[in-house]
Amino acid sequence: MYADTSAKKLARPVTLSRLQEMKSEQEKFTCLTAYDATFTHVMNAAGVETILVGDSLGMVIQGQDSTLPVSIDDMCYHVAAVKKGNSNAFILADMPFMSYSKPELALDNAAKLMQAGAQMVKLEGGAWLCDTVQLLSERGIPVCAHLGLTPQAVHKLGGYKLQGKDQAAADLIMQESLALVAAGADILLYECIPTTLAKSLTEAVPVPTIGIGAGPHTDGQVLVMHDMLGANLGRRPRFVKNFLTDGRSIQEAFEAYVSEVKSQTFPAPEHGFNS
């Protein structure tokens, strides 16, 4: 049911320009985390447009209690594995904790990820990243800026909590989003923010937006692969749906995710947050 449509979507490689076109055409796109060649290959067959090699590997692969212990060498290893299994999806790679604390350090580590096979790097943070984003952009490295709930700052935030709840916090995320785009950010990713705020942000910025726990109005959606396959080690987050049901294979679960994102039936209201 899903495979024929998905296969057509990835008949050619997905590029940053194609993602921008999809935003302009109001066509939703999908993103899942992957950490190896095999699952990447299956995601390609299912029509997943973008793949995030996430530092979430610290938790779902390494068994850590946060993403903080993940190193740049860990990330490069898994990016290279994903690259070998990839044909047409666009690959994003997380820059791990403290690998971009200074612009020059960020440039060196981003170069390692790009050489390993990434097509874009993702950094967590707000306006303080503008100088770093500008440097990477000037050197030809595409950047995804991650705002809202930023897991690498979980101890500073006091846990995995909804961000942007009051007007002042929402205004700050808007201001920082516009500043990061002006600095050269090519995609903005929002995690655990109110649905109405995510809608306003997506309408305000000229670049594609990706949401997780941000409601249905962002241009793209991302989930951790293990979560959407029901392989949660702990409590399932509110914004997660298990797609490995009804006798589906793993590829069919990925295809169902693609179909539901594109038809805008996922995320449903129960997967989002009110302010």
Side-chain angles (χ1 to χ4, degrees), residues 16-166:
L16 186 55
S17 296
R18 176 58 187 143
L19 296 176
Q20 185 66 59
E21 289 172 3
M22 294 177 78
K23 179 183 178 75
S24 300
E25 296 165 1
Q26 297 187 325
E27 178 184 353
K28 302 296 185 182
F29 65 89
T30 55
C31 183
L32 287 173
T33 63
Y35 317 96
D36 63 30
T38 301
F39 279 105
T40 298
H41 177 75
V42 179
M43 287 178 191
N44 279 199
V48 178
E49 289 97 347
T50 60
I51 290 173
L52 171 63
V53 186
D55 59 0
S56 50
L57 69 89
M59 302 170 82
V60 299
I61 302 294
Q62 298 175 340
Q64 310 283 0
D65 61 2
S66 74
T67 63
L68 272 61
V70 177
S71 70
I72 191 68
D73 289 339
D74 292 335
M75 291 304 306
C76 287
Y77 174 89
H78 287 278
V79 168
V82 165
K83 172 66 174 176
K84 289 177 181 177
N86 188 55
S87 54
N88 288 337
F90 187 75
I91 301 174
L92 298 79
D94 271 334
M95 296 194 67
F97 181 63
M98 286 298 162
S99 67
Y100 51 99
S101 56
K102 298 178 181 179
E104 294 75 16
L105 178 63
L107 182 61
D108 289 344
N109 285 322
K112 292 176 182 178
L113 291 172
M114 297 293 286
Q115 289 172 330
Q119 294 162 284
M120 170 177 277
V121 297
K122 181 167 75 66
L123 299 77
E124 298 182 10
W128 68 270
L129 280 173
C130 284
D131 288 345
T132 298
V133 171
Q134 183 174 354
L135 178 63
L136 297 182
S137 182
E138 289 173 348
R139 299 301 189 274
I141 299 176
V143 174
C144 173
H146 181 154
L147 300 102
L149 172 59
T150 48
Q152 291 176 14
V154 62
H155 298 305
K156 179 69 174 177
L157 297 174
Y160 297 96
K161 300 178 179 179
L162 182 69
Q163 303 297 307
K165 291 187 292 185
D166 58 50

Side-chain angles (χ1 to χ4, degrees), residues 133-203:
V133 171
Q134 183 174 354
L135 178 63
L136 297 182
S137 182
E138 289 173 348
R139 299 301 189 274
I141 299 176
V143 174
C144 173
H146 181 154
L147 300 102
L149 172 59
T150 48
Q152 291 176 14
V154 62
H155 298 305
K156 179 69 174 177
L157 297 174
Y160 297 96
K161 300 178 179 179
L162 182 69
Q163 303 297 307
K165 291 187 292 185
D166 58 50
Q167 192 60 51
D171 289 345
L172 179 60
I173 293 176
M174 177 67 77
Q175 293 165 10
E176 294 191 314
S177 296
L178 295 172
L180 286 162
V181 170
D186 301 285
I187 290 178
L188 298 177
L189 187 149
Y190 297 108
E191 181 169 356
C192 286
I193 64 172
T195 295
T196 53
L197 174 58
K199 184 175 187 293
S200 296
L201 291 162
T202 297
E203 292 171 348

